[in-house]
Amino acid sequence: MSEAIPGYTYGTAQVAQSPVSQEEWELLKQTVLWTAEDEHYLRMAGEVLGDQVDAILDLWYGFVASHAHLVYYFTGPDGQPIADYLSRVRQRFGQWILDTCRRPYDQDWLNYQMEIALRHYRTKKNQTDGVQSVPMIPLRYMIAFIYPITATIREFLARKGHSAAEVDRMHQAWFKSIVLQVTLWSYPYAREGDF
């Protein structure tokens, strides 16, 4: 599936190198109280969410589409949303859900977080899909999006008959991962030496 996704370059030489050292990465994980149990429950979440990706994206895209200030970041020079751009990003967004849950958080994963960061920032926004859209997504919306992406995933985690305690553990692991990822995505927005 992932090979057919336009612009999905995970693990390739096209991906930016993360400036975050392994030591810094370990300290970040400690800061959000990341544990081996979180890894276990995130893998479980991947099993639960695997066949629900389209439904999740329908919900999230509906949320973005219902807020003009968010859909704006997918518009062209005419102020209208670029349908092909939205479609291509949607495919990568779906793969991101699976990568969040299923990939090891190793150097390739760290590198791809930097790639995602640059694709939201002036450095690479619009380049992957060859579109003329607004030049960047402000950091404030990246941070604020932590809540809807975390709050809305819980109902999907609860749909496969797991206990309330298991759903809560999966949800907490997802939340920690999203905080870690958005933290990494903030790198290009920080002044040199401030990250």
Side-chain angles (χ1 to χ4, degrees):
M1 173 188 171
S2 60
E3 300 83 32
I5 298 173
Y8 181 69
T9 56
Y10 193 103
T12 70
Q14 298 170 293
V15 174
Q17 293 295 302
S18 174
V20 177
S21 70
Q22 286 298 318
E23 180 182 8
E24 291 168 330
W25 175 228
E26 289 304 317
L27 293 174
L28 269 176
K29 289 193 291 185
Q30 288 175 36
T31 303
V32 298
L33 307 176
W34 186 260
T35 66
E37 183 177 87
D38 292 311
E39 292 178 21
H40 168 76
Y41 282 105
L42 206 51
R43 299 296 172 266
M44 184 184 290
E47 294 170 14
V48 170
L49 300 175
D51 64 355
Q52 300 185 79
V53 169
D54 281 333
I56 295 165
L57 293 173
D58 287 345
L59 179 68
W60 290 350
Y61 263 54
F63 172 75
V64 170
S66 69
H67 291 85
H69 71 284
L70 297 177
V71 79
Y72 166 75
Y73 296 101
F74 296 94
T75 59
D78 62 357
Q80 296 302 308
I82 304 169
D84 188 52
Y85 185 29
L86 283 161
S87 174
R88 290 167 63 103
V89 170
R90 180 184 169 109
Q91 290 178 66
R92 292 192 298 271
F93 207 179
Q95 186 61 46
W96 170 81
I97 293 169
L98 300 177
D99 288 350
T100 291
C101 298
R102 296 177 177 174
R103 295 272 191 187
Y105 289 5
D106 58 9
Q107 190 62 50
D108 280 341
W109 187 87
L110 268 179
N111 291 345
Y112 206 63
Q113 300 315 303
M114 186 61 182
E115 183 69 20
I116 291 170
L118 296 174
R119 290 180 185 190
H120 286 81
Y121 192 64
R122 291 179 185 92
T123 316
K124 283 193 172 182
K125 181 155 184 319
N126 304 327
Q127 290 181 19
T128 300
D129 298 301
V131 296
Q132 289 186 320
S133 185
V134 295
M136 68 172 280
I137 298 174
L139 181 60
R140 65 183 176 272
Y141 293 128
M142 308 258 301
I143 294 169
F145 218 67
I146 291 172
Y147 184 77
I149 292 296
T150 301
T152 58
I153 205 74
R154 188 180 188 92
E155 70 176 89
F156 295 98
L157 293 170
R159 290 184 177 174
K160 298 293 177 83
H162 292 83
S163 70
E166 288 173 319
V167 170
D168 186 58
R169 288 185 180 111
M170 287 188 284
H171 191 239
Q172 286 301 308
W174 174 270
F175 183 26
K176 290 178 185 182
S177 177
I178 302 310
V179 170
L180 284 170
Q181 290 181 72
V182 174
T183 300
L184 293 169
W185 298 347
S186 72
Y187 186 91
Y189 296 83
R191 292 179 181 162
E192 184 70 33
D194 286 354
F195 181 81

